Amino acid sequence: MAKIPTYTSRSSAITTSGINRATGIPFRDFESEALIETGKMIGGIADQMLKAAEDEAVGQAKLNATLKINELQMELQTTDPMVAMSEYDTRAQAIMNEASSGLSMDAAARFKSDITGTYASGKIAVQKDSIRRGREKLEANLVTRMAGLAQSARAG
């Protein structure tokens, strides 16, 4: 049997008014751009000021550590040569840790790279001085021992 198509109607509210939507007028805000540029300039100045302050802190810490390491070298010249070589590492490391204690991470890294040369040259100087003094001590002991042996040989 043949089917007769049925039509259904739907009723709904009108979705358009028949009038086009108003087109937007482009608005250019020059004040915001100027404010952004001003912020960038102020940020650049602040970065420069922070870098200058960091440079000053690193320089001051390096100067303090260098002076203390030099004092340590002078002090170790009066101690036993073997003790001087073993004490230098621990005491110089303590000096460097104390000098870098108040620095930021970046400043502490720069300080460490800057002071490494001073630390190494100080260590070399202490070792050189310790070796020289140790050799002189051994030579003096040898001369004293030989003089003692010579005296004991003459006596008997």
Side-chain angles (χ1 to χ4, degrees), residues 34 112 139 149:
K112 187 174 182 179
E139 288 173 357
L149 289 172

Side-chain angles (χ1 to χ4, degrees), residues 72-93:
L72 176 63
Q73 288 176 10
M74 298 297 283
E75 180 185 333
L76 291 178
Q77 286 180 351
T78 61
T79 62
D80 183 63
M82 299 312 273
V83 173
M85 288 196 306
S86 65
E87 274 189 25
Y88 180 80
D89 286 332
T90 56
R91 291 180 62 188
Q93 191 64 41

Side-chain angles (χ1 to χ4, degrees), residues 48-118:
Q48 290 175 353
M49 289 175 63
L50 287 173
K51 178 145 179 30
E54 190 175 272
D55 290 344
E56 174 66 25
V58 169
Q60 191 65 37
K62 184 180 178 189
L63 175 65
N64 290 340
T66 302
L67 291 174
K68 288 182 181 181
I69 286 174
N70 288 342
E71 287 176 15
L72 176 63
Q73 288 176 10
M74 298 297 283
E75 180 185 333
L76 291 178
Q77 286 180 351
T78 61
T79 62
D80 183 63
M82 299 312 273
V83 173
M85 288 196 306
S86 65
E87 274 189 25
Y88 180 80
D89 286 332
T90 56
R91 291 180 62 188
Q93 191 64 41
I95 289 170
M96 292 190 309
N97 289 342
E98 177 188 342
S100 67
S101 64
L103 300 176
S104 67
M105 286 177 36
D106 292 335
R110 284 182 40 211
F111 168 77
K112 187 174 182 179
S113 68
D114 287 352
I115 200 71
T116 302
T118 305

Side-chain angles (χ1 to χ4, degrees), residues 1 6-7 27 35 42 47-48 54 59 70 79 83 85-86 92 96 99 107 112 122 133 135 137 141 145 151:
M1 183 174 279
T6 57
Y7 295 100
F27 175 72
L35 190 60
I42 291 172
D47 287 344
Q48 290 175 353
E54 190 175 272
N70 288 342
T79 62
V83 173
M85 288 196 306
S86 65
M96 292 190 309
K112 187 174 182 179
R133 286 185 297 119
R135 189 185 73 235
K137 183 179 175 182
N141 288 343
R145 193 174 328 124
Q151 267 187 338

